[in-house]
Amino acid sequence: MPAGGRRYKSWELYVCIALNRLVQDLDIDLYQPELEEKLDPILEERGRGLTKFEIGNEIKSNHHMTNKVLKHMEESGMIRMESEGRSYRIFITREGVMHARKYNEFYMMMYRDFLVDHYKYRQLPAWFKDD
């Protein structure tokens, strides 16, 4: 661990946390059967999105890292951003939902300690399978 007790978190981990927070906002079981077929209406009906501020709070990161993570996610097609005056609203896309579904197990295996540490002051989110 580096001096000062802080551990570096990679932008991939932040992507995982942000995507799963956006999925949580849809109020769906990410692992339900035939999700891909049901996804378009779900995104249309429930996809309220989150503010950039809410994403920054979720990933517990500074402005620079939040922008870096959102830029990567937008360029990869996982989210779309809409301007709301001086702020932005972040919406998960079909690609973002399917990315979270496909790679969550990998993220949990690779970043388990970081995720547990990230959520140490609150309950682990439902998407985190603590087997």
PDB file of all heavy atoms in Angstrom, residues 76-94:
ATOM      1  N   SER A  76     -16.919   4.424 -25.609  1.00  0.00           N
ATOM      2  CA  SER A  76     -17.141   2.983 -25.762  1.00  0.00           C
ATOM      3  C   SER A  76     -18.606   2.640 -25.996  1.00  0.00           C
ATOM      4  O   SER A  76     -18.942   1.470 -26.148  1.00  0.00           O
ATOM      5  CB  SER A  76     -16.640   2.245 -24.514  1.00  0.00           C
ATOM      6  OG  SER A  76     -15.265   2.466 -24.327  1.00  0.00           O
ATOM      7  N   GLY A  77     -19.483   3.642 -25.959  1.00  0.00           N
ATOM      8  CA  GLY A  77     -20.904   3.408 -26.204  1.00  0.00           C
ATOM      9  C   GLY A  77     -21.673   2.876 -25.012  1.00  0.00           C
ATOM     10  O   GLY A  77     -22.816   2.441 -25.152  1.00  0.00           O
ATOM     11  N   MET A  78     -21.078   2.911 -23.820  1.00  0.00           N
ATOM     12  CA  MET A  78     -21.743   2.385 -22.626  1.00  0.00           C
ATOM     13  C   MET A  78     -22.739   3.357 -22.027  1.00  0.00           C
ATOM     14  O   MET A  78     -23.639   2.950 -21.299  1.00  0.00           O
ATOM     15  CB  MET A  78     -20.705   2.005 -21.568  1.00  0.00           C
ATOM     16  CG  MET A  78     -19.832   0.843 -21.954  1.00  0.00           C
ATOM     17  SD  MET A  78     -18.719   0.442 -20.596  1.00  0.00           S
ATOM     18  CE  MET A  78     -17.140   0.614 -21.391  1.00  0.00           C
ATOM     19  N   ILE A  79     -22.521   4.643 -22.289  1.00  0.00           N
ATOM     20  CA  ILE A  79     -23.416   5.679 -21.773  1.00  0.00           C
ATOM     21  C   ILE A  79     -23.621   6.729 -22.854  1.00  0.00           C
ATOM     22  O   ILE A  79     -22.881   6.786 -23.830  1.00  0.00           O
ATOM     23  CB  ILE A  79     -22.852   6.387 -20.514  1.00  0.00           C
ATOM     24  CG1 ILE A  79     -21.533   7.106 -20.847  1.00  0.00           C
ATOM     25  CG2 ILE A  79     -22.724   5.434 -19.348  1.00  0.00           C
ATOM     26  CD1 ILE A  79     -21.089   8.116 -19.813  1.00  0.00           C
ATOM     27  N   ARG A  80     -24.639   7.551 -22.627  1.00  0.00           N
ATOM     28  CA  ARG A  80     -24.771   8.790 -23.395  1.00  0.00           C
ATOM     29  C   ARG A  80     -24.966   9.898 -22.381  1.00  0.00           C
ATOM     30  O   ARG A  80     -25.530   9.688 -21.299  1.00  0.00           O
ATOM     31  CB  ARG A  80     -25.897   8.722 -24.410  1.00  0.00           C
ATOM     32  CG  ARG A  80     -27.268   8.608 -23.881  1.00  0.00           C
ATOM     33  CD  ARG A  80     -28.331   8.499 -24.995  1.00  0.00           C
ATOM     34  NE  ARG A  80     -29.600   8.119 -24.434  1.00  0.00           N
ATOM     35  CZ  ARG A  80     -30.442   8.928 -23.826  1.00  0.00           C
ATOM     36  NH1 ARG A  80     -30.154  10.203 -23.723  1.00  0.00           N
ATOM     37  NH2 ARG A  80     -31.576   8.484 -23.328  1.00  0.00           N
ATOM     38  N   MET A  81     -24.439  11.066 -22.720  1.00  0.00           N
ATOM     39  CA  MET A  81     -24.534  12.205 -21.810  1.00  0.00           C
ATOM     40  C   MET A  81     -25.354  13.291 -22.474  1.00  0.00           C
ATOM     41  O   MET A  81     -25.206  13.550 -23.664  1.00  0.00           O
ATOM     42  CB  MET A  81     -23.146  12.740 -21.460  1.00  0.00           C
ATOM     43  CG  MET A  81     -22.308  11.757 -20.684  1.00  0.00           C
ATOM     44  SD  MET A  81     -20.844  12.464 -19.872  1.00  0.00           S
ATOM     45  CE  MET A  81     -19.944  13.178 -21.206  1.00  0.00           C
ATOM     46  N   GLU A  82     -26.227  13.899 -21.692  1.00  0.00           N
ATOM     47  CA  GLU A  82     -27.033  15.019 -22.167  1.00  0.00           C
ATOM     48  C   GLU A  82     -26.765  16.214 -21.270  1.00  0.00           C
ATOM     49  O   GLU A  82     -26.744  16.091 -20.053  1.00  0.00           O
ATOM     50  CB  GLU A  82     -28.522  14.680 -22.139  1.00  0.00           C
ATOM     51  CG  GLU A  82     -28.926  13.635 -23.146  1.00  0.00           C
ATOM     52  CD  GLU A  82     -30.414  13.337 -23.127  1.00  0.00           C
ATOM     53  OE1 GLU A  82     -31.165  14.021 -22.388  1.00  0.00           O
ATOM     54  OE2 GLU A  82     -30.829  12.402 -23.834  1.00  0.00           O
ATOM     55  N   SER A  83     -26.568  17.353 -21.892  1.00  0.00           N
ATOM     56  CA  SER A  83     -26.325  18.582 -21.159  1.00  0.00           C
ATOM     57  C   SER A  83     -27.624  19.086 -20.543  1.00  0.00           C
ATOM     58  O   SER A  83     -28.669  19.077 -21.179  1.00  0.00           O
ATOM     59  CB  SER A  83     -25.759  19.635 -22.107  1.00  0.00           C
ATOM     60  OG  SER A  83     -25.576  20.854 -21.431  1.00  0.00           O
ATOM     61  N   GLU A  84     -27.532  19.492 -19.285  1.00  0.00           N
ATOM     62  CA  GLU A  84     -28.660  20.092 -18.559  1.00  0.00           C
ATOM     63  C   GLU A  84     -28.184  21.415 -17.999  1.00  0.00           C
ATOM     64  O   GLU A  84     -27.872  21.529 -16.817  1.00  0.00           O
ATOM     65  CB  GLU A  84     -29.122  19.182 -17.416  1.00  0.00           C
ATOM     66  CG  GLU A  84     -29.824  17.937 -17.825  1.00  0.00           C
ATOM     67  CD  GLU A  84     -30.391  17.190 -16.621  1.00  0.00           C
ATOM     68  OE1 GLU A  84     -29.837  17.299 -15.500  1.00  0.00           O
ATOM     69  OE2 GLU A  84     -31.389  16.484 -16.804  1.00  0.00           O
ATOM     70  N   GLY A  85     -28.108  22.419 -18.854  1.00  0.00           N
ATOM     71  CA  GLY A  85     -27.579  23.702 -18.403  1.00  0.00           C
ATOM     72  C   GLY A  85     -26.098  23.573 -18.125  1.00  0.00           C
ATOM     73  O   GLY A  85     -25.318  23.278 -19.012  1.00  0.00           O
ATOM     74  N   ARG A  86     -25.725  23.754 -16.855  1.00  0.00           N
ATOM     75  CA  ARG A  86     -24.312  23.656 -16.480  1.00  0.00           C
ATOM     76  C   ARG A  86     -23.942  22.262 -15.998  1.00  0.00           C
ATOM     77  O   ARG A  86     -22.812  22.026 -15.582  1.00  0.00           O
ATOM     78  CB  ARG A  86     -24.022  24.675 -15.389  1.00  0.00           C
ATOM     79  CG  ARG A  86     -24.163  26.099 -15.901  1.00  0.00           C
ATOM     80  CD  ARG A  86     -23.954  27.123 -14.839  1.00  0.00           C
ATOM     81  NE  ARG A  86     -22.705  26.903 -14.107  1.00  0.00           N
ATOM     82  CZ  ARG A  86     -22.347  27.579 -13.030  1.00  0.00           C
ATOM     83  NH1 ARG A  86     -23.142  28.510 -12.565  1.00  0.00           N
ATOM     84  NH2 ARG A  86     -21.215  27.325 -12.426  1.00  0.00           N
ATOM     85  N   SER A  87     -24.853  21.334 -16.052  1.00  0.00           N
ATOM     86  CA  SER A  87     -24.612  19.976 -15.578  1.00  0.00           C
ATOM     87  C   SER A  87     -24.872  18.975 -16.704  1.00  0.00           C
ATOM     88  O   SER A  87     -25.252  19.354 -17.804  1.00  0.00           O
ATOM     89  CB  SER A  87     -25.540  19.674 -14.395  1.00  0.00           C
ATOM     90  OG  SER A  87     -25.245  18.413 -13.862  1.00  0.00           O
ATOM     91  N   TYR A  88     -24.642  17.727 -16.397  1.00  0.00           N
ATOM     92  CA  TYR A  88     -24.884  16.653 -17.363  1.00  0.00           C
ATOM     93  C   TYR A  88     -25.690  15.546 -16.708  1.00  0.00           C
ATOM     94  O   TYR A  88     -25.540  15.274 -15.524  1.00  0.00           O
ATOM     95  CB  TYR A  88     -23.558  16.053 -17.858  1.00  0.00           C
ATOM     96  CG  TYR A  88     -22.783  16.990 -18.726  1.00  0.00           C
ATOM     97  CD1 TYR A  88     -21.834  17.841 -18.186  1.00  0.00           C
ATOM     98  CD2 TYR A  88     -22.999  17.030 -20.093  1.00  0.00           C
ATOM     99  CE1 TYR A  88     -21.117  18.711 -18.975  1.00  0.00           C
ATOM    100  CE2 TYR A  88     -22.287  17.896 -20.905  1.00  0.00           C
ATOM    101  CZ  TYR A  88     -21.351  18.732 -20.335  1.00  0.00           C
ATOM    102  OH  TYR A  88     -20.648  19.596 -21.137  1.00  0.00           O
ATOM    103  N   ARG A  89     -26.523  14.906 -17.508  1.00  0.00           N
ATOM    104  CA  ARG A  89     -27.257  13.727 -17.074  1.00  0.00           C
ATOM    105  C   ARG A  89     -26.670  12.559 -17.851  1.00  0.00           C
ATOM    106  O   ARG A  89     -26.472  12.639 -19.057  1.00  0.00           O
ATOM    107  CB  ARG A  89     -28.757  13.867 -17.321  1.00  0.00           C
ATOM    108  CG  ARG A  89     -29.539  12.680 -16.751  1.00  0.00           C
ATOM    109  CD  ARG A  89     -30.976  13.021 -16.460  1.00  0.00           C
ATOM    110  NE  ARG A  89     -31.154  13.901 -15.317  1.00  0.00           N
ATOM    111  CZ  ARG A  89     -31.231  13.507 -14.046  1.00  0.00           C
ATOM    112  NH1 ARG A  89     -31.138  12.252 -13.740  1.00  0.00           N
ATOM    113  NH2 ARG A  89     -31.421  14.384 -13.079  1.00  0.00           N
ATOM    114  N   ILE A  90     -26.402  11.474 -17.129  1.00  0.00           N
ATOM    115  CA  ILE A  90     -25.752  10.296 -17.688  1.00  0.00           C
ATOM    116  C   ILE A  90     -26.782   9.180 -17.805  1.00  0.00           C
ATOM    117  O   ILE A  90     -27.428   8.825 -16.818  1.00  0.00           O
ATOM    118  CB  ILE A  90     -24.592   9.814 -16.784  1.00  0.00           C
ATOM    119  CG1 ILE A  90     -23.717  10.986 -16.310  1.00  0.00           C
ATOM    120  CG2 ILE A  90     -23.810   8.723 -17.459  1.00  0.00           C
ATOM    121  CD1 ILE A  90     -23.110  11.827 -17.369  1.00  0.00           C
ATOM    122  N   PHE A  91     -26.904   8.617 -19.006  1.00  0.00           N
ATOM    123  CA  PHE A  91     -27.834   7.527 -19.275  1.00  0.00           C
ATOM    124  C   PHE A  91     -27.055   6.292 -19.708  1.00  0.00           C
ATOM    125  O   PHE A  91     -26.168   6.379 -20.561  1.00  0.00           O
ATOM    126  CB  PHE A  91     -28.814   7.909 -20.397  1.00  0.00           C
ATOM    127  CG  PHE A  91     -29.680   9.079 -20.079  1.00  0.00           C
ATOM    128  CD1 PHE A  91     -29.273  10.368 -20.396  1.00  0.00           C
ATOM    129  CD2 PHE A  91     -30.901   8.904 -19.449  1.00  0.00           C
ATOM    130  CE1 PHE A  91     -30.066  11.455 -20.099  1.00  0.00           C
ATOM    131  CE2 PHE A  91     -31.704   9.998 -19.149  1.00  0.00           C
ATOM    132  CZ  PHE A  91     -31.287  11.272 -19.474  1.00  0.00           C
ATOM    133  N   ILE A  92     -27.390   5.155 -19.133  1.00  0.00           N
ATOM    134  CA  ILE A  92     -26.761   3.911 -19.553  1.00  0.00           C
ATOM    135  C   ILE A  92     -27.400   3.461 -20.863  1.00  0.00           C
ATOM    136  O   ILE A  92     -28.582   3.684 -21.097  1.00  0.00           O
ATOM    137  CB  ILE A  92     -26.854   2.816 -18.454  1.00  0.00           C
ATOM    138  CG1 ILE A  92     -25.908   1.664 -18.775  1.00  0.00           C
ATOM    139  CG2 ILE A  92     -28.304   2.346 -18.275  1.00  0.00           C
ATOM    140  CD1 ILE A  92     -25.652   0.749 -17.586  1.00  0.00           C
ATOM    141  N   THR A  93     -26.612   2.840 -21.707  1.00  0.00           N
ATOM    142  CA  THR A  93     -27.099   2.318 -22.977  1.00  0.00           C
ATOM    143  C   THR A  93     -27.220   0.800 -22.887  1.00  0.00           C
ATOM    144  O   THR A  93     -26.768   0.181 -21.918  1.00  0.00           O
ATOM    145  CB  THR A  93     -26.125   2.667 -24.120  1.00  0.00           C
ATOM    146  OG1 THR A  93     -24.864   2.016 -23.853  1.00  0.00           O
ATOM    147  CG2 THR A  93     -25.933   4.168 -24.255  1.00  0.00           C
ATOM    148  N   ARG A  94     -27.788   0.235 -23.906  1.00  0.00           N
ATOM    149  CA  ARG A  94     -27.866  -1.220 -24.022  1.00  0.00           C
ATOM    150  C   ARG A  94     -26.470  -1.827 -23.875  1.00  0.00           C
ATOM    151  O   ARG A  94     -26.266  -2.808 -23.168  1.00  0.00           O
ATOM    152  CB  ARG A  94     -28.487  -1.566 -25.382  1.00  0.00           C
ATOM    153  CG  ARG A  94     -28.303  -2.986 -25.828  1.00  0.00           C
ATOM    154  CD  ARG A  94     -28.865  -3.186 -27.226  1.00  0.00           C
ATOM    155  NE  ARG A  94     -30.295  -3.387 -27.186  1.00  0.00           N
ATOM    156  CZ  ARG A  94     -30.847  -4.549 -26.859  1.00  0.00           C
ATOM    157  NH1 ARG A  94     -30.113  -5.588 -26.566  1.00  0.00           N
ATOM    158  NH2 ARG A  94     -32.151  -4.676 -26.844  1.00  0.00           N
TER     159      ARG A  94
END
